[in-house]
């Protein structure tokens, strides 16, 4: 009997999967991340050897961990071609060509006793959605959208409704828009409720699948890194070096980016001037990869040792290996060295409404994406999506990032509106774009 365990990467909106057969002492991983210790630890607990590691597609949003598993555990990483089958003793795994998200995309069908039991769908099927088709540019987006429609309506047709589906991309991934939370569903559930399955006419399907938010800039490089193979980290690479305030100051002078992993009010109350506010409790690595060029030295600040280690791990996942260290002692250490902190005024949505209604001179910068802006916004606000700022958003997270970017651009009077856009909507003062 096999088991399937999900290993979520919540900052990416993704999951990878460990398939285990404890009776035979074997297992495999689908779409592994680059930091592999969790897989090897769990394999040890189950008493299995990870014999194979497979990717559903050439990833744009994270670095594959297949080469790491090959180096550390001798895991086989040979490709399983479409139509080929892997005999794993108690069950078989076969590859099914399911293009759409990418041209070469494959899904893997796990069968036991000749009966299909699980589908590892990558981005071909998500919970309530499918993955985007425009990662290779507009010239291929429509062609791949046609392929996605054919995948849903033709290529998957022979699989039963009760087959379990384990998608790599989930809600929160920039590889798709919409969908529901979770990393397990059934094909029958998706056929009856997923709007992409239910939209069978070509033009409405194209309109739906091509209506996507923008994706992080680092995506454009990640596929090529995966194709060439990223440098190996090993199972337990060292944590960030601890740096004192003078070392951080010197690194900043030499061009390093200081990334403060705190969120919102804590960052606003005191931070290193010129640092980036990118909270660890959100899509941390995606925003670092969007705003900071790959290869630029990065210094982490504001968190505990464990938080800095987690931030480093998340950056490894997207191939950002340039963390040179972390500020030891936090903002107290920075101040104790005689260096000043910057502060932002943190306000609530009700405060912003009062200022606008009283005609106080101010500029509201809405940092949400175009879709959110069109659905409703603060009257008179200026729309600048966070990556274009190089302040106010759906939850306060992106507004905090934007506020730090505006400070880097030289603005000194910054008010960070902390709270969700829904608070403004509740005041019935929103405008929308028809």
């Amino acid at each position: 009997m096999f088991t399937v365990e999900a290993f979520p990467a919540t900052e990416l909106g993704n999951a990878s999967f460990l398939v285990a057969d404890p009776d035979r002492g074997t297992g495999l991983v689908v779409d592994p991340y680059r930091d592999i210790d969790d897989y090897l630890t769990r394999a040890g607990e189950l008493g299995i050897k990870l014999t194979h590691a497979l990717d559903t597609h050439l990833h744009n949003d994270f670095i594959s961990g297949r080469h790491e598993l090959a180096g550390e555990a001798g895991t086989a990483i040979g490709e399983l071609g479409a139509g080929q089958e892997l005999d794993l003793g108690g069950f078989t795994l076969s590859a099914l060509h399911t293009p759409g998200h990418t041209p070469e995309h494959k899904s893997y069908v796990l069968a036991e006793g000749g009966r299909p039991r699980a589908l590892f769908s990558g981005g071909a099927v998500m919970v309530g959605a499918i993955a985007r088709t425009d990662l290779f540019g507009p010239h291929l987006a429509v062609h791949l959208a046609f392929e996605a429609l054919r995948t849903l309506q033709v290529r998957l047709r022979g699989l039963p409704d009760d087959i379990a589906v384990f998608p790599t991309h989930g809600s929160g991934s920039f590889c798709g828009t919409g969908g529901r939370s979770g990393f397990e569903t059934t094909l029958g559930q998706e056929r009856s409720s997923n709007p992409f399955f239910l939209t069978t006419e070509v033009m409405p399907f194209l309109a739906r699948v091509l209506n996507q938010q923008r994706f992080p800039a680092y995506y454009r490089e990640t596929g090529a890194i995966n194709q060439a193979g990223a440098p190996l980290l090993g199972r337990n690479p060292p944590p960030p070096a601890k740096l004192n305030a003078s070392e951080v100051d010197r690194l900043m002078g030499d061009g390093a980016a200081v990334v403060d992993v705190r969120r919102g009010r804590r960052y606003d109350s005191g931070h290193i001037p010129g640092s980036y506010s990118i909270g660890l409790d959100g899509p941390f690595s995606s925003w670092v990869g969007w705003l900071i060029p790959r290869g630029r030295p990065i210094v982490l600040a504001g968190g505990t040792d464990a938080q800095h280690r987690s931030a480093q791990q998340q950056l490894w996942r997207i191939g950002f290996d340039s963390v040179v260290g972390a500020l030891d002692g936090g903002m107290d250490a920075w101040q104790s060295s005689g260096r000043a902190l910057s502060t932002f005024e943190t306000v609530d949505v009700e405060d912003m409404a009062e200022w606008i209604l009283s005609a106080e001179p101010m500029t509201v910068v809405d940092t949400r994406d175009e879709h959110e802006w069109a659905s409703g916004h603060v009257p008179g606000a200026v729309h600048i999506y966070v990556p274009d700022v190089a302040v106010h958003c759906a939850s306060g997270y992106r507004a905090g990032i934007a506020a730090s970017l505006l400070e880097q651009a030289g603005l000194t009077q910054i008010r960070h509106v902390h709270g969700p856009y829904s608070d403004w909507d509740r005041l019935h003062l929103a405008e929308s774009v028809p």
Side-chain angles (χ1 to χ4, degrees):
M1 174 66 70
F2 70 89
T3 61
V4 178
E5 294 187 37
F7 287 72
T10 54
E11 80 281 2
L12 295 171
N14 285 349
S16 58
F17 300 95
L18 188 152
V19 184
D21 185 350
D23 293 337
R24 290 173 173 79
T26 60
L28 60 89
V29 185
V30 178
D31 288 334
Y33 316 121
R34 196 177 175 205
D35 48 305
I36 60 170
D37 182 61
D38 285 347
Y39 308 122
L40 296 177
T41 298
R42 184 59 179 147
E45 292 169 350
L46 294 171
I48 63 171
K49 175 178 174 57
L50 298 179
T51 58
H52 295 80
L54 298 164
D55 283 329
T56 54
H57 57 289
L58 189 68
H59 299 292
N60 291 89
D61 55 337
F62 69 94
I63 302 298
S64 171
R66 292 170 68 206
H67 292 283
E68 295 284 349
L69 285 169
E72 288 294 315
T75 304
I77 58 172
E79 295 291 339
L80 189 64
Q84 292 183 326
E85 187 173 276
L86 190 63
D87 186 353
L88 298 165
F91 54 92
T92 61
L93 197 76
S94 57
L96 181 64
H97 186 45
T98 52
H101 180 41
T102 66
E104 86 296 343
H105 193 286
K106 290 176 287 191
S107 299
Y108 299 107
V109 179
L110 187 151
E112 191 173 39
R115 177 188 171 197
R117 297 288 304 278
L119 175 71
F120 299 93
S121 61
V125 180
M126 295 167 55
V127 180
I130 64 171
R132 65 194 311 147
T133 68
D134 60 348
L135 293 180
F136 295 84
H139 61 297
L140 278 179
V142 174
H143 168 73
L144 288 175
F146 279 119
E147 293 286 6
L149 178 59
R150 190 176 178 205
T151 287
L152 296 180
Q153 302 300 334
V154 179
R155 296 184 177 101
L156 298 177
R157 182 185 295 161
L159 295 176
D161 280 349
D162 64 354
I163 189 172
V165 178
F166 298 96
T168 299
H169 298 309
S171 175
S173 169
F174 283 98
C175 281
T177 294
R180 304 184 302 276
S181 61
F183 294 101
E184 182 176 354
T185 182
T186 66
L187 205 51
Q189 173 67 24
E190 297 310 307
R191 283 169 172 159
S192 65
S193 64
N194 188 321
F196 289 91
F197 268 104
L198 296 174
T199 307
T200 57
E201 294 184 21
V202 171
M203 295 310 294
F205 185 88
L206 291 179
R208 185 181 292 279
V209 78
L210 296 175
N211 183 27
Q212 295 286 345
Q213 62 187 337
R214 289 156 63 182
F215 56 83
Y218 80 89
Y219 276 29
R220 295 185 176 91
E221 311 153 352
T222 311
I225 294 173
N226 275 321
Q227 207 155 31
L232 296 181
L233 297 173
R235 180 171 179 175
N236 291 301
K242 294 186 177 184
L243 306 173
N244 60 39
S246 297
E247 291 171 316
V248 172
D249 201 6
R250 175 182 58 78
L251 286 165
M252 287 187 73
D254 291 339
V258 174
V259 178
D260 194 313
V261 302
R262 298 172 297 164
R263 181 181 177 181
R265 298 179 188 275
R266 291 193 62 206
Y267 178 86
D268 295 347
S269 67
H271 57 266
I272 297 173
S275 60
Y276 291 82
S277 171
I278 308 180
L280 195 58
D281 57 340
F284 172 79
S285 58
S286 293
W287 282 109
V288 171
W290 208 332
L291 299 172
I292 299 174
R294 190 184 299 275
R296 183 181 177 186
I298 293 174
V299 175
L300 303 171
T304 63
D305 290 348
Q307 288 171 329
H308 291 155
R309 176 62 164 178
S310 178
Q312 179 191 44
Q313 180 185 51
Q314 292 185 28
L315 293 176
W316 282 332
R317 288 178 179 170
I318 67 167
F320 275 54
D321 301 345
S322 58
V323 173
V324 294
L327 174 63
D328 188 25
M331 298 306 111
D332 290 341
W334 183 264
Q335 275 192 302
S336 297
S337 72
R339 295 171 170 83
L341 294 174
S342 287
T343 60
F344 294 155
E345 183 180 352
T346 306
V347 298
D348 295 315
V349 171
E350 288 79 5
D351 298 315
M352 181 172 62
E354 184 178 334
W355 296 328
I356 290 174
L357 293 174
S358 65
E360 179 176 334
M362 65 182 302
T363 300
V364 177
V365 180
D366 189 322
T367 63
R368 299 172 300 158
D369 71 19
E370 291 82 359
H371 295 77
E372 296 166 292
W373 165 264
S375 67
H377 54 266
V378 175
V382 175
H383 179 232
I384 309 178
Y385 191 26
V386 173
D388 296 332
V389 175
V391 240
H392 125 80
C393 70
S395 65
Y397 183 87
R398 287 169 294 181
I401 298 172
S404 67
L405 296 177
L406 291 171
E407 182 183 58
Q408 292 178 29
L411 276 70
T412 56
Q413 294 188 12
I414 298 171
R415 291 169 173 170
H416 175 197
V417 180
H418 192 273
Y421 176 77
S422 57
D423 283 354
W424 177 267
D425 212 24
R426 176 173 47 79
L427 299 176
H428 305 294
L429 297 171
E431 283 185 348
S432 62
V433 177

